[in-house]
């Protein structure tokens, strides 16, 4: 509630009662009410802040974040304002991820969803009953702009699995925005709830060579996961059947065709927290970004693993990115070596706080093979199971894909998915 | 925003402009505005629901929760309405925990805090800039009653570490409430941010034999933990120095005396999620409740462990509960055996969905010794460090404690804590 605006409204009403012959005051009240109905009005609850300050005063919304610098966790927190993050799917995970990034002061957020808010969503965080009927993107912008007016919000109420929606999605990820500090998008977070939409995000990110983090929650609400996907470097979503965290609940009791999956604010809050924490680590260069992290809530078990790309991947854009990644290996090695030498010379000049702070070392690409999965035939770590049958069981992949042939590919993909769903 | 109420206000204003000589309409508008300022008005955004329904319609806020039953995760979800949970500390963890439980449809929530909302809290979830200046308990009731009017909310704006505050705290935990289905409190969640307050929650729960879950987030914002405390059965907070999850950040760079610790919505959201997930498992009897679960966000590492009570614990109420727990062992064993036999006979009558669904088995109390820590001298699991020096370094504990001598004990405790803080 806009307490101050309501107080002002009360004063106007009291004044009107003293002088009932003042139609101008009625217009003024009308404007006030309309301003309160305008989503952007929430932004008025605090003014924009030009530079992040570390000053320790109650009125500074960034003091606890800038403290990460003083404590040696992050080298330059304010760099977060330079980054743009796209969130696809503003549901139980995506909306909370958006709120976390907004409160962290991210530069720009791009929000994608085609759904509207329902009372049935109230068992998850973020949306409020009075937002029922609004599009999820509108409701999100309304809430987020009120929380932090410094964040540039772009909302796209569209379905990325349609040809038209995919075009807009791809264009928006590439676009140079009005946001002064950023061009394009630094990271895509997939928070969608179905296989088809994940494959579309996978297609877009493979085409653009765009790093993304996938997230998911099981239909029985008690497990979830996040997975980092770097085109050419890690497995893409088409390289292997998606992995899910085994919940321990008897699979036979799950109604896979049911329209109403279970969900919990806890599981979704944890997954959103792990997702955005890894986003912060990735963008602000601290800690270790997890390649895959599962969450089995029944046992509080958190499996990790790495998945390398499949050279026989059905997605041509993925195979192309894999080739580029291998071709650039000499340049990458040289850069890593130069960085290590530079850090070594810095270390000899000033006191060392942490030895090899980011755990950087020059290793051969094959070094991590022991903890990684190369093909779908490999054994999975304990607690992980495949969500879908092995790739061999899928219909033939599209023959070719390139940016100029997106529409055809998408339609082909759509046909295959339809066939898959109806089988 | 109360969209509908604002729309009605607009219509009233338009009508008034047509008929300016209608002072009664001004009174009506005034009432409308006051209703919008009343925190309880938020509840009007949906009406109360008498019984939880599993019906799959967009307008049912409980459909996704009741689906947990159909999926075999929870036997009787609606039992959540019978339970009362107390949350001490409505900050970055406590407020999110309260929102999660509210959205899950908990019967009754008791909220304790003495602080007010500041802009400096906006880097964590839940509170909004327009709530700055309100007490955290008032702001929480305002938001939570709007989200789910079915939850009975009791707020206590008081400091539990004062003698008067402690009395009210203890009385409120014991009180038979107006909430028809519950007497007393089923679980206490500690979400406070300092040692002194934790020791006070510990004292209260030891005196009442009240199970509680402690939670905490490190000053550098990148790690946290939850810990289940069952008086007499597990270590109490005074049995051993509190454990924290090592963050990997150089301890020397932390300003321990600093007034401004760092904090992140991600870490706090994850800890709140793990806390409430374990609360749901505890109350609704599914999965395994973790005795201790840490979260190191830099490495996505989640250490677990168990801590048994210290027979030489400095807290007399803890020692008393330990004695009672040992004395009741024969009765406990008999009950467990009877339950197993009953389940075995049920299993022989109807189809088995899960073998030994709750992993219940009759074990000797000593069976878990291998994975537990008995004294402060024992080696800790990898990734855990002690937050404070060993118990031997503390001043002598109070000589005795009983319900009739709480004030004296608290004052004594206060003196010791003052001495500890000044040393």
């Amino acid at each position: 509630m806009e307490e101050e605006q309501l107080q002002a409204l009360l004063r106007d009403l009291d004044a009107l009662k003293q002088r009932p012959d003042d139609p101008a005051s009625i217009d003024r009240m009308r404007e006030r009410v309309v301003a309160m109905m305008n989503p952007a009005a929430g932004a008025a609850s605090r003014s924009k802040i030009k530079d992040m300050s570390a000053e320790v005063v109650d009125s500074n919304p960034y003091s606890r974040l800038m403290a990460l610098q003083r404590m040696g966790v992050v080298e330059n927190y304010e760099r977060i304002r330079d980054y743009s993050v796209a969130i696809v799917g503003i549901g139980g995970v995506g909306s909370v991820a958006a709120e976390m990034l907004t409160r962290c002061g991210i530069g720009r957020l791009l929000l994608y969803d085609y759904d509207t808010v329902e009372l049935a969503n109230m068992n998850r965080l973020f949306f409020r009953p009075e937002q029922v009927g609004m599009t999820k993107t509108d409701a999100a912008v309304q809430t987020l702009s009120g929380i932090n007016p410094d964040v540039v919000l772009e909302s796209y109420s569209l379905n990325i699995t349609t040809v038209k929606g995919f075009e807009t999605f791809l264009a928006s990820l590439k676009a140079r925005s009005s946001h002064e500090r950023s061009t394009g998008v630094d990271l895509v977070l997939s928070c969608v709830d179905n296989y088809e939409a994940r494959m579309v995000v996978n297609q877009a990110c493979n085409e653009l060579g765009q790093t993304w983090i996938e997230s998911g929650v099981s239909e029985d609400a008690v497990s979830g996961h996040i997975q980092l996907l770097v085109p050419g470097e890690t497995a893409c979503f088409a390289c292997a059947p998606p992995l899910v965290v085994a919940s321990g609940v008897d699979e036979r009791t799950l109604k896979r065709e049911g329209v109403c999956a279970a969900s919990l604010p806890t599981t979704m809050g944890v997954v959103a927290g792990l997702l955005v924490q890894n986003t912060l680590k990735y963008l602000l260069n601290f800690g270790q970004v997890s390649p895959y992290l599962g969450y089995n809530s029944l046992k509080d078990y958190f499996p990790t693993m790495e998945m390398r790309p499949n050279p026989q991947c059905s997605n041509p854009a993925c195979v192309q990115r894999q080739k580029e990644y291998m071709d650039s290996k000499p340049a990458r090695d040289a850069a890593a070596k130069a960085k290590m030498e530079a850090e070594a010379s810095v270390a000899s000049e000033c006191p060392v706080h942490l030895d090899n702070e980011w755990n950087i070392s020059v290793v051969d690409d094959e070094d991590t093979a022991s903890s990684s999965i190369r093909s779908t035939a490999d054994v999975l770590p304990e607690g992980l199971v495949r969500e879908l049958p092995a790739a061999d069981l899928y219909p033939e992949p599209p023959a070719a894909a390139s940016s100029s042939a997106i529409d055809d590919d998408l339609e082909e993909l759509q046909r295959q998915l339809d066939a898959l769903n109806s089988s």
Side-chain angles (χ1 to χ4, degrees), chain A:
Chain A
M1 303 304 298
E2 309 296 341
E3 199 82 9
E4 280 176 34
Q5 290 166 281
L6 290 171
Q7 290 280 10
L9 209 50
L10 277 191
R11 283 194 298 274
D12 284 351
L13 285 169
D14 291 342
L16 186 65
K17 208 163 178 189
Q18 301 296 316
R19 297 177 45 191
D21 54 343
D22 182 10
S25 78
I26 297 179
D27 287 338
R28 204 167 56 238
M29 279 188 278
R30 217 186 178 289
E31 274 168 37
R32 224 186 268 283
V33 173
V34 170
M36 289 169 69
M37 293 175 74
N38 180 354
S45 47
R46 82 158 167 86
S47 52
K48 291 194 185 192
I49 293 174
K50 191 164 175 291
D51 297 302
M52 283 189 176
S53 152
E55 195 188 1
V56 182
V57 288
D58 287 344
S59 57
N60 178 6
Y62 296 121
S63 59
R64 266 63 165 171
L65 295 166
M66 294 295 280
L68 290 165
Q69 274 181 221
R70 201 185 54 239
M71 293 195 162
V73 176
V74 177
E75 205 172 308
N76 180 358
Y77 188 84
E78 199 168 2
R79 266 178 52 208
I80 198 165
R81 291 193 151 189
D82 299 342
Y83 295 120
S84 295
V85 173
I87 304 183
V88 189
I90 312 300
V93 173
S95 62
V96 179
E99 180 172 348
M100 287 175 172
L101 284 168
T102 295
R103 290 182 182 267
C104 283
I106 191 80
R108 186 168 67 116
L109 270 187
L110 293 80
L111 308 173
Y112 305 83
D113 206 299
Y114 66 92
D115 211 0
T116 53
V117 179
E118 305 292 351
L119 268 186
N121 306 137
M122 292 307 134
N123 68 319
R124 282 149 278 180
L125 299 178
F126 194 75
F127 293 117
R128 300 187 306 273
E130 64 265 31
Q131 294 178 317
V132 165
M134 294 177 76
T135 65
K136 285 185 176 174
T137 50
D138 278 352
V141 168
Q142 180 185 54
T143 299
L144 299 176
S145 63
I147 289 171
N148 189 346
D150 298 332
V151 178
V152 176
L153 298 167
E154 289 178 23
S155 79
Y156 299 88
S157 194
L158 54 81
N159 183 346
I160 61 164
T161 66
T162 63
V163 172
K164 179 88 186 127
F166 184 78
E167 271 174 19
T168 311
F169 177 48
L170 210 62
S172 64
L173 291 181
K174 287 189 285 191
R176 189 178 269 272
S177 80
S178 58
H179 182 51
E180 58 190 24
R181 309 206 205 191
S182 104
T183 57
V185 161
D186 298 286
L187 194 65
V188 172
L189 304 182
S190 168
C191 304
V192 299
D193 62 358
N194 64 84
Y195 177 78
E196 183 184 356
R198 283 185 179 92
M199 284 300 268
V200 169
V201 175
N202 187 61
Q203 179 65 32
C205 291
N206 276 344
E207 285 186 26
L208 299 174
Q210 172 66 57
T211 297
W212 59 296
I213 310 183
E214 133 78 5
S215 69
V217 170
S218 65
E219 286 180 9
D220 59 12
V222 290
S223 61
H225 72 273
I226 60 170
Q227 180 178 347
L228 176 73
L229 296 103
V230 186
E233 192 176 336
T234 70
C236 91
F237 203 74
C239 280
L243 297 174
V244 295
V245 180
S247 63
V249 173
D250 191 338
E251 294 288 322
R252 290 165 297 177
T253 65
L254 294 183
K255 278 178 74 173
R256 290 222 157 258
E257 297 77 31
V259 288
C260 176
S263 57
L264 281 168
T266 44
T267 310
M268 290 183 152
V270 168
V271 170
L274 299 175
L275 177 66
V276 176
Q277 195 83 293
N278 277 279
T279 297
L280 295 175
K281 290 191 283 184
Y282 176 83
L283 296 176
L284 298 174
N285 198 26
F286 68 97
Q288 295 163 11
V289 180
S290 288
Y292 179 99
L293 179 62
Y295 169 42
N296 171 327
S297 78
L298 296 184
K299 295 184 175 177
D300 283 334
Y301 173 63
F302 300 80
T304 57
M305 51 169 291
E306 277 182 60
M307 278 190 289
R308 322 196 96 199
N310 177 359
Q312 277 84 47
C313 179
S314 62
N315 186 299
C318 172
V319 176
Q320 178 61 26
R321 294 294 95 77
Q322 289 184 46
K323 184 178 178 305
E324 289 164 10
Y325 182 74
M326 289 314 293
D327 290 348
S328 66
K329 189 175 182 306
R332 224 167 31 247
D333 289 350
K337 191 164 174 244
K339 191 174 177 188
M340 255 194 77
E341 284 170 359
E343 282 178 351
S345 82
V346 168
S348 64
E349 285 164 25
C350 61
V352 178
H353 279 257
L354 290 168
D355 293 335
N356 191 9
E357 194 169 5
W358 310 120
N359 292 314
I360 292 164
S361 60
V362 179
V363 292
D364 189 89
D365 280 348
E366 301 301 315
D367 279 4
T368 53
S370 61
S371 63
S372 69
I373 291 181
R374 192 170 255 296
S375 84
T376 57
D378 287 354
V379 177
L380 293 176
E382 186 200 336
L384 285 177
V385 294
R386 294 208 168 75
E387 193 180 17
L388 294 167
D392 304 343
L393 303 178
Y394 289 125
E396 272 300 292
S402 71
S403 291
S404 59
I406 295 162
D407 292 7
D408 290 348
D409 290 343
L410 252 200
E411 281 163 28
E412 175 58 33
L413 185 63
Q414 186 60 55
R415 273 192 296 277
Q416 291 176 38
L417 286 165
D418 290 345
L420 202 63
N421 286 333
S422 64
S423 64

